[in-house]
Amino acid sequence: MTNKLVNLKSFNTLGLNAFCKSLKIIENEGDIETLIKDSKKKFIVLGEGSNIILDAPINSPFDVPVFINRLKGISIIKTFNQRVTVRCRAGENWNKFVFWTLENQFGGLECLAGIPGSVGAAPIQNIGAYGSEVSDLIESVHAYDVNRNLAVTMSNKDCTFGYRSSIFKNNTSTSHFSNFIVISVDFSLSTDWKSCRKVTYDDVKNLLPADPNGFDIAETILAVRRKKLPDLEIFPNVGSFFINPIVDIDTVNRLRKEFDNLPTVNFDGRFKLSAAWLIESCGFKGIRFKNVGMHRKHALVLVNYKESTSQEVLILANRIKSYVKDKFDINLKIEPTIFSSSEKSTYLG
Ligand SMILES: Cc1cc2nc3c(=O)[nH]c(=O)nc-3n(C[C@H](O)[C@H](O)[C@H](O)COP(=O)(O)OP(=O)(O)OC[C@H]3O[C@@H](n4cnc5c(N)ncnc54)[C@H](O)[C@@H]3O)c2cc1C
């Protein structure tokens, strides 16, 4: 039986060996309905696997099929009043799409250059970087609604975007059942190339030439990201492993009494804490546990040093969570989606 299993190692950027009994590549929109029906609505859908933890060792593979979304195509839907609506299908690579928009002199996505993954996954956790969130540019999301068995168009409002969250993000982790398959995303971008060049982050702003264009911003962000983050090819990882906690003023005041150097950022009337700072303060930056560790360049990035297992990843994650809880009374939340073949996995925390 084992020789029929598919290893998903090359389908997740953390490079975990994880196994499934059936893997299907979605290349045509028309196939989706049949695939969902055949799977009895229980499946895992992936893009490029850069925000997932696959917990399915060889002796406990996924019973449900794994779908890889590779729907391709970019088209201009309409232009109106210095805005353009661009439709991009879910299986396009995010960074390539960002550069396609810049080549066409459409502004808006430049601060999100360099984020790994597919376009279809961008709305799932409302990707963001350098002061920009993709929800600011999404007009609507076209998806297959698994429960209602039909293709739907969801407006930006319907998607209930929040910080690293949306209606699509399955926060229950142990359930591998997605309610939607994203087919394409409509972006509202600016045709006024100049108006949207707002870069608020000093480490990017200070490196920009005078009067930068969208390419200058995107290229500068790529360079800053390269400097800050471990090289994915050498250190398999999923980017930020924990979400920055959003807290109220009472929590900030409580923490400041003890930690007067606590970094905070105003966030819609609340405060964003730095998960990296919390983790580093607990002594985890650069530490190694078996084959995994928190990278020496960035305390928030959990890396797979060599053939690590999902168990090692989740044990280290839970250890960090409990240290941060003890020291700061803050609950860290794991950012990537965890897909586990066992509902009873003891490592899920
Ligand atoms: C080095 C590195 C840096 C990163 N930096 C950032 C960053 O700056 N900001 C940020 O926000 N994120 C960042 N990430 C996380 C990641 O790049 C994003 O979350 C990205 O959008 C994931 O895309 P993906 O195609 O790899 O999704 P996957 O990892 O394949 O899937 C992620 C989730 O989306 C779901 N999903 C994927 N495609 C679909 C679809 N078509 N329909 C329905 N559900 C779907 C999956 O089921 C899963 O729950 C980083 C990751 C890495 C490795």
Side-chain angles (χ1 to χ4, degrees):
M1 182 188 109
T2 46
N3 59 4
K4 284 197 187 150
L5 296 179
V6 183
N7 190 344
L8 297 166
K9 187 180 168 111
S10 61
F11 292 95
N12 72 102
T13 62
L14 197 48
L16 296 174
N17 288 299
F19 297 83
C20 67
K21 294 176 182 171
S22 162
L23 178 82
K24 305 261 189 248
I25 309 290
I26 305 178
E27 279 170 302
N28 297 302
E29 205 176 310
D31 298 341
I32 293 178
E33 200 173 336
T34 316
L35 286 173
I36 291 175
K37 205 169 147 214
D38 291 350
S39 74
K40 301 194 174 54
K41 299 189 178 181
K42 292 180 179 176
F43 59 87
I44 293 170
V45 59
L46 300 180
E48 297 185 18
S50 64
N51 208 20
I52 50 163
I53 300 165
L54 298 178
D55 178 34
I58 195 155
N59 58 356
S60 175
F62 290 121
D63 280 328
V64 298
V66 174
F67 302 154
I68 308 289
N69 194 317
R70 292 286 181 263
L71 296 171
K72 301 283 185 191
I74 305 176
S75 48
I76 294 170
I77 303 296
K78 62 173 192 273
T79 39
F80 180 70
N81 246 351
Q82 299 193 325
R83 301 296 298 176
V84 59
T85 301
V86 178
R87 180 165 301 165
C88 184
R89 301 187 103 207
E92 292 284 350
N93 173 267
W94 173 259
N95 191 51
K96 283 194 184 145
F97 173 60
V98 171
F99 275 86
W100 181 94
T101 64
L102 297 176
E103 274 151 25
N104 284 277
Q105 304 211 345
F106 301 150
L109 297 177
E110 49 277 357
C111 287
L112 302 175
I115 299 180
S118 61
V119 168
I124 307 294
Q125 73 151 4
N126 183 16
I127 56 169
Y130 296 98
S132 185
E133 281 187 333
V134 75
S135 55
D136 297 338
L137 289 314
I138 289 180
E139 193 172 298
S140 56
V141 174
H142 305 278
Y144 196 89
D145 182 330
V146 178
N147 294 321
R148 289 160 65 202
N149 274 330
L150 52 95
V152 292
T153 296
M154 306 180 59
S155 69
N156 182 299
K157 205 166 161 232
D158 295 336
C159 298
T160 59
F161 289 117
Y163 176 60
R164 298 296 177 272
S165 72
S166 73
I167 196 169
F168 308 108
K169 181 142 181 174
N170 182 347
N171 286 322
T172 57
S173 298
T174 48
S175 149
H176 7 271
F177 315 139
S178 304
N179 291 327
F180 296 94
I181 293 186
V182 175
I183 295 166
S184 60
V185 183
D186 285 0
F187 296 88
S188 172
L189 304 173
S190 172
T191 54
D192 177 7
W193 184 236
K194 284 220 162 208
S195 71
C196 51
R197 287 181 226 149
K198 293 189 197 87
V199 179
T200 49
Y201 273 61
D202 284 345
D203 53 351
V204 177
K205 222 162 50 177
N206 297 341
L207 295 172
L208 288 173
D211 196 22
N213 64 29
F215 280 108
D216 295 326
I217 296 173
E219 298 287 3
T220 304
I221 282 177
L222 290 188
V224 171
R225 291 180 70 98
R226 265 195 301 271
K227 211 169 149 199
K228 268 192 174 172
L229 295 170
D231 183 343
L232 199 50
E233 298 296 319
I234 303 171
F235 299 107
N237 69 78
V238 284
S240 302
F241 199 85
F242 295 99
I243 298 177
N244 290 320
I246 309 292
V247 298
D248 56 21
I249 183 72
D250 294 342
T251 308
V252 170
N253 288 338
R254 169 178 68 75
L255 289 169
R256 283 239 170 92
K257 280 188 194 146
E258 215 181 325
F259 309 98
D260 53 7
N261 57 342
L262 178 85
T264 59
V265 175
N266 286 348
F267 192 83
D268 291 342
R270 304 185 83 208
F271 296 86
K272 186 157 73 172
L273 303 181
S274 159
W277 186 88
L278 299 173
I279 294 167
E280 193 172 343
S281 304
C282 290
F284 280 96
K285 189 175 185 182
I287 65 102
R288 190 165 169 161
F289 165 71
K290 297 193 178 173
N291 294 310
V292 287
M294 304 313 285
H295 198 261
R296 64 181 165 74
K297 268 190 187 176
H298 204 311
L300 197 48
V301 182
L302 186 149
V303 296
N304 174 358
Y305 284 109
K306 197 178 97 191
E307 296 296 328
S308 80
T309 63
S310 53
Q311 292 188 356
E312 289 171 358
V313 170
L314 296 169
I315 289 171
L316 176 59
N318 286 335
R319 196 167 287 176
I320 291 171
K321 276 167 75 172
S322 78
Y323 269 73
V324 169
K325 174 77 180 162
D326 285 352
K327 187 162 179 165
F328 300 103
D329 196 19
I330 294 287
N331 291 309
L332 281 185
K333 196 162 166 251
I334 293 178
E335 182 186 294
T337 310
I338 305 168
F339 292 108
S340 179
S341 59
S342 161
E343 295 273 331
K344 294 193 191 94
S345 176
T346 49
Y347 302 100
L348 295 176

